[in-house]
Amino acid sequence: LEINYDPKPIKGDWNGSGCHMNFSTKAMREEGGLKAIKEACENLKKTFVDDVKFYGGDNNQRMTGAHETSKLSEFTYGVGTRHTSCRIGNDVNAAGKGYFEDRRPASNID
Protein backbone atom coordinates (compact mmCIF):
# COMPACT_ATOMS: atom_id res chain seq x y z
CA LEU A 1 0.00 0.00 0.00
CA GLU A 2 1.33 3.42 -0.93
CA ILE A 3 -0.16 6.82 -0.16
CA ASN A 4 0.69 9.87 -2.23
CA TYR A 5 -0.24 13.34 -0.96
CA ASP A 6 0.99 15.18 -4.05
CA PRO A 7 -1.65 17.67 -5.26
CA LYS A 8 -1.36 16.23 -8.78
CA PRO A 9 0.01 12.69 -8.38
CA ILE A 10 -1.00 11.80 -11.94
CA LYS A 11 -0.32 14.63 -14.37
CA GLY A 12 -3.04 15.47 -16.83
CA ASP A 13 -6.35 17.19 -17.44
CA TRP A 14 -8.07 16.83 -14.06
CA ASN A 15 -8.51 18.85 -10.85
CA GLY A 16 -5.92 17.13 -8.64
CA SER A 17 -6.16 16.44 -4.94
CA GLY A 18 -7.15 19.16 -2.48
CA CYS A 19 -7.67 19.44 1.25
CA HIS A 20 -10.62 21.80 1.57
CA MET A 21 -11.10 23.26 5.04
CA ASN A 22 -14.23 24.54 6.72
CA PHE A 23 -14.02 27.57 9.01
CA SER A 24 -16.44 29.21 11.40
CA THR A 25 -16.41 31.46 14.44
CA LYS A 26 -19.10 31.92 17.03
CA ALA A 27 -20.20 35.09 15.22
CA MET A 28 -20.53 33.17 11.94
CA ARG A 29 -22.74 30.53 13.54
CA GLU A 30 -25.09 33.05 15.21
CA GLU A 31 -28.04 34.85 13.62
CA GLY A 32 -26.78 37.26 10.97
CA GLY A 33 -23.52 35.31 10.74
CA LEU A 34 -23.41 35.55 6.97
CA LYS A 35 -22.08 39.09 7.39
CA ALA A 36 -19.14 37.78 9.46
CA ILE A 37 -18.47 35.08 6.84
CA LYS A 38 -18.30 37.64 4.05
CA GLU A 39 -16.07 39.89 6.17
CA ALA A 40 -13.68 36.97 6.73
CA CYS A 41 -13.58 36.31 2.99
CA GLU A 42 -12.87 39.98 2.28
CA ASN A 43 -10.01 39.84 4.81
CA LEU A 44 -8.58 36.73 3.13
CA LYS A 45 -8.66 38.59 -0.18
CA LYS A 46 -6.18 41.12 1.25
CA THR A 47 -3.52 38.52 2.10
CA PHE A 48 -4.09 35.66 -0.37
CA VAL A 49 -0.70 36.05 -2.07
CA ASP A 50 1.11 35.53 1.23
CA ASP A 51 -1.32 32.90 2.55
CA VAL A 52 -1.08 30.48 -0.35
CA LYS A 53 2.52 29.56 0.45
CA PHE A 54 1.22 27.74 3.53
CA TYR A 55 -1.31 25.71 1.52
CA GLY A 56 0.98 22.96 0.23
CA GLY A 57 3.71 22.66 -2.37
CA ASP A 58 3.07 22.42 -6.11
CA ASN A 59 -0.43 23.81 -5.63
CA ASN A 60 0.03 25.68 -8.92
CA GLN A 61 -0.43 22.33 -10.69
CA ARG A 62 -3.89 21.97 -9.17
CA MET A 63 -5.18 25.55 -8.95
CA THR A 64 -5.52 26.35 -12.63
CA GLY A 65 -9.05 27.74 -12.74
CA ALA A 66 -10.24 24.60 -14.53
CA HIS A 67 -12.04 21.52 -13.20
CA GLU A 68 -13.78 23.24 -10.27
CA THR A 69 -10.59 24.90 -8.97
CA SER A 70 -9.83 28.56 -8.53
CA LYS A 71 -6.85 30.33 -10.04
CA LEU A 72 -3.77 30.55 -7.85
CA SER A 73 -3.26 34.15 -9.02
CA GLU A 74 -6.52 35.59 -7.66
CA PHE A 75 -8.88 35.32 -4.70
CA THR A 76 -12.59 34.84 -5.25
CA TYR A 77 -15.55 33.66 -3.20
CA GLY A 78 -19.21 33.04 -3.78
CA VAL A 79 -22.34 31.19 -2.79
CA GLY A 80 -22.64 27.60 -4.00
CA THR A 81 -19.56 27.97 -6.18
CA ARG A 82 -16.96 25.29 -6.82
CA HIS A 83 -14.52 27.30 -8.96
CA THR A 84 -13.71 29.93 -6.33
CA SER A 85 -11.06 30.21 -3.61
CA CYS A 86 -13.70 30.04 -0.87
CA ARG A 87 -17.26 28.77 -1.06
CA ILE A 88 -20.26 29.70 1.04
CA GLY A 89 -22.69 26.80 0.85
CA ASN A 90 -26.21 27.30 -0.47
CA ASP A 91 -27.56 26.01 2.85
CA VAL A 92 -25.43 28.50 4.78
CA ASN A 93 -26.63 31.34 2.58
CA ALA A 94 -30.27 30.29 3.06
CA ALA A 95 -29.83 30.05 6.84
CA GLY A 96 -27.90 33.33 6.98
CA LYS A 97 -25.26 31.76 9.22
CA GLY A 98 -22.83 28.86 9.40
CA TYR A 99 -19.36 28.39 7.94
CA PHE A 100 -17.36 28.77 4.75
CA GLU A 101 -15.08 26.38 2.90
CA ASP A 102 -11.55 27.34 1.86
CA ARG A 103 -10.96 25.34 -1.32
CA ARG A 104 -7.33 26.40 -1.84
CA PRO A 105 -5.30 24.02 0.38
CA ALA A 106 -3.58 21.17 -1.45
CA SER A 107 -3.60 17.56 -0.31
CA ASN A 108 -0.01 17.92 0.95
CA ILE A 109 -0.73 20.80 3.32
CA ASP A 110 1.08 20.48 6.62
Side-chain angles (χ1 to χ4, degrees):
L1 178 65
E2 183 179 319
I3 299 172
N4 186 330
Y5 293 104
D6 189 286
K8 201 91 172 212
I10 300 170
K11 306 307 178 214
D13 191 23
W14 69 293
N15 60 351
S17 184
C19 183
H20 304 166
M21 296 187 176
N22 296 334
F23 291 96
S24 71
T25 63
K26 184 177 181 189
M28 291 176 189
R29 295 186 302 270
E30 292 177 342
E31 290 301 318
L34 190 58
K35 181 177 184 238
I37 292 170
K38 290 181 178 180
E39 287 171 355
C41 289
E42 287 296 324
N43 285 334
L44 286 171
K45 185 185 285 189
K46 297 173 189 174
T47 60
F48 83 93
V49 173
D50 294 324
D51 298 341
V52 76
K53 64 185 170 191
F54 298 107
Y55 281 20
D58 295 325
N59 213 6
N60 59 308
Q61 295 178 26
R62 187 180 73 82
M63 292 184 61
T64 62
H67 307 293
E68 298 183 341
T69 66
S70 61
K71 292 181 182 177
L72 189 64
S73 61
E74 64 185 25
F75 181 90
T76 56
Y77 69 95
V79 174
T81 56
R82 300 183 70 76
H83 62 282
T84 53
S85 307
C86 291
R87 179 175 70 93
I88 301 166
N90 290 320
D91 56 337
V92 171
N93 190 58
K97 60 182 179 180
Y99 67 95
F100 70 96
E101 174 190 34
D102 192 338
R103 300 177 55 79
R104 298 172 296 165
S107 54
N108 62 355
I109 190 171
D110 186 12

